[in-house]
Amino acid sequence: METLTSAKQSLAATTDFLPLQGTDYVEFYVGNAKQAAHYYMSAFGFQAIAYAGPETGVKDRASYVVRQHKLTFVLTTPLRPGNEIADHVFKHGDGVKVLALRVDDAISAWKETTARGGRSYQEPQRLTDESGEVVLSGIHTYGDTVHLFVERKNYSGAFMPGFRPWNNPHFAPADTGLLYVDHCVGNVGWNQMNPWVKFYEDVMGFKNILSFDDEDISTDYSALMSKVMSNGNGFVKFPINEPAEGKKKSQVEEYLEFYNGEGVQHVALATQDIVKTVRDLMSRGVEFLKVPTSYYDDLLDRVGKIDEDLEPLKELGILVDRDNEGYLLQLFSKPVQDRPTLFFEIIQRKGAKSFGKGNFKALFEAIEREQAERGNL
Ligand code: FE2
């Protein structure tokens, strides 16, 4: 059963020991960062921002920073075997390593979270150059994924010390209207959802604002359970999925098998004009899951009046769902690497604060059709 509570209400009585200003960046460890950066620029409309590598004194890696509005992605690849980055790519394929969170005080963030049982990934470190200072610290979360706390209030450079500005004046693809990270979903193993919910509650002061059980999220074949964790101001939301028993292998199990463990399943990117954004993304080669056109036959009966014309939604396969506060439009990409692991969600919220429960069944059936094609159902 779906249950919804307000994180703001339940946090009102206490002070937030980990005030977060939002997602600072998402860092992907990939097999070829030069080409991945090009993909996010050409297909998703990100702009070149900064680069770090041997030319900037970094010996073991190359990192490309790309940005679109408040969305910053870092694509990092190892230059040699036998280090954390190379091992990560070998084990997981391309995937999210860092969900970096903007804070006012990275030292306090590290002290507060490690004092509550968070396992340190990086002790507070001050990085300085002629543009000022960035303070970084970090803790481990599920799988090999980490949270970095980024304090950049005293920094005016392109990204952070160690990086140099990077752009190509001959290549500046137009943006696609992607604005910020709406939420990031983690897939965890059997019986691991509640321990990670507790981690976000105890270590980071998050609240469970929404829960889905396997009756909400099941098809004829497979099932999953999910709990949505939110920080106090609601700027950072992390749904956590675990597989549930079904007749066949669930999409979360397929992920865990191919990612070789727990990790980020999808990152939801917000837009204010999903029809335009999705049309742009499709024309640049981004592939999306397709629901049957019968989904649209009774859509308006299910969700009521919406501002958008039905025809473009149907043409592009955009899904709609409504909750008590409004509605949302969303669409899910196919995996963005050869392993059936990470994908993106494009979401436009028109009041709704939920995650598209009404679309789960149609969506998961679409995922299962793809799973079956891969021979993994
Ligand atoms: Fe989502």
Side-chain angles (χ1 to χ4, degrees):
M1 209 189 102
E2 183 192 42
T3 46
L4 178 60
T5 53
S6 162
K8 265 190 191 143
Q9 272 169 13
S10 41
L11 267 181
T14 56
T15 18
D16 191 351
F17 63 82
L18 183 63
L20 300 175
Q21 295 161 7
T23 302
D24 193 274
Y25 65 91
V26 180
E27 182 167 11
F28 305 76
Y29 281 179
V30 299
N32 186 335
K34 180 177 275 201
Q35 291 189 5
H38 186 83
Y39 173 70
Y40 285 106
M41 292 164 68
S42 60
F44 283 81
F46 284 74
Q47 314 296 314
I49 294 291
Y51 166 82
E55 301 86 343
T56 69
V58 180
K59 296 296 178 207
D60 64 340
R61 69 185 70 186
S63 295
Y64 296 78
V65 182
V66 296
R67 182 170 294 155
Q68 182 163 185
H69 299 281
K70 287 183 178 169
L71 263 178
T72 304
F73 285 179
V74 181
L75 292 316
T76 292
T77 199
L79 298 176
R80 295 187 172 80
N83 55 61
E84 184 207 357
I85 308 165
D87 293 349
H88 197 280
V89 173
F90 180 73
K91 182 175 176 190
H92 302 298
D94 289 6
V96 172
K97 173 65 184 181
V98 181
L99 294 172
L101 305 169
R102 179 91 52 97
V103 296
D104 193 51
D105 184 341
I107 296 173
S108 161
W110 184 84
K111 282 185 180 159
E112 295 286 350
T113 51
T114 54
R116 287 172 169 81
R119 191 158 58 89
S120 176
Y121 172 72
Q122 183 173 316
E123 291 190 10
Q125 187 185 11
R126 286 179 195 280
L127 306 170
T128 56
D129 66 12
E130 65 285 354
S131 301
E133 175 191 76
V134 170
V135 188
L136 282 183
S137 65
I139 58 172
H140 292 266
T141 178
Y142 47 76
D144 290 326
T145 317
V146 302
H147 291 309
L148 285 187
F149 303 117
V150 184
E151 174 188 331
R152 54 168 76 254
K153 60 179 185 281
N154 297 317
Y155 194 71
S156 60
F159 183 57
M160 60 173 70
F163 286 77
R164 72 180 186 196
W166 162 57
N167 70 52
N168 177 350
H170 306 291
F171 180 61
D175 81 68
T176 61
L178 295 171
L179 300 173
Y180 56 87
V181 173
D182 185 274
H183 60 274
C184 281
V185 180
N187 278 342
V188 300
W190 292 96
N191 304 313
Q192 291 303 305
M193 178 177 70
N194 286 327
W196 284 109
V197 163
K198 195 164 162 29
F199 165 88
Y200 280 105
E201 285 171 347
D202 294 351
V203 174
M204 297 183 66
F206 282 39
K207 297 290 173 192
N208 174 210
I209 55 162
L210 198 54
S211 300
F212 306 100
D213 64 23
D214 50 350
E215 278 172 34
D216 292 317
I217 318 186
S218 69
T219 64
D220 287 346
Y221 291 136
S222 69
L224 66 89
M225 295 188 286
S226 189
K227 287 188 175 174
V228 182
M229 305 307 294
S230 172
N231 81 316
N233 60 20
F235 291 175
V236 178
K237 292 187 283 291
F238 294 143
I240 309 285
N241 296 334
E242 78 168 43
E245 213 60 65
K247 280 188 208 149
K248 294 193 179 178
K249 187 190 287 182
S250 79
Q251 49 165 304
V252 179
E253 284 175 276
E254 187 196 35
Y255 175 100
L256 295 170
E257 182 183 326
F258 280 86
Y259 198 69
N260 236 315
E262 302 178 339
V264 173
Q265 179 209 39
H266 74 267
V267 181
L269 310 175
T271 170
Q272 278 174 347
D273 186 349
I274 196 167
V275 170
K276 182 176 184 309
T277 293
V278 168
R279 206 183 282 289
D280 281 357
L281 293 171
M282 277 184 185
S283 73
R284 294 163 182 227
V286 179
E287 296 180 302
F288 291 93
L289 288 175
K290 200 101 183 125
V291 294
T293 50
S294 59
Y295 171 89
Y296 296 91
D297 293 349
D298 58 350
L299 178 68
L300 297 180
D301 298 333
R302 287 202 306 276
V303 302
K305 191 179 164 340
I306 56 172
D307 301 335
E308 293 72 17
D309 290 335
L310 197 55
E311 240 1 86
L313 301 183
K314 192 170 171 179
E315 175 205 335
L316 300 169
I318 293 167
L319 310 175
V320 190
D321 194 27
R322 184 179 286 279
D323 64 21
N324 294 334
E325 293 173 87
Y327 66 96
L328 61 82
L329 304 109
Q330 64 187 166
L331 186 55
F332 296 82
S333 81
K334 291 187 179 183
V336 289
Q337 58 291 305
D338 291 297
R339 298 192 198 196
T341 51
L342 177 74
F343 59 87
F344 290 99
E345 172 180 351
I346 310 300
I347 184 166
Q348 180 180 4
R349 293 188 181 277
K350 301 194 99 169
K353 299 228 169 64
S354 53
F355 295 82
K357 180 188 155 188
N359 293 322
F360 287 170
K361 194 170 163 61
L363 180 68
F364 295 160
E365 285 170 353
I367 292 177
E368 282 164 12
R369 282 192 293 278
E370 304 256 321
Q371 245 181 292
E373 271 189 48
R374 293 188 285 263
N376 294 334
L377 186 64

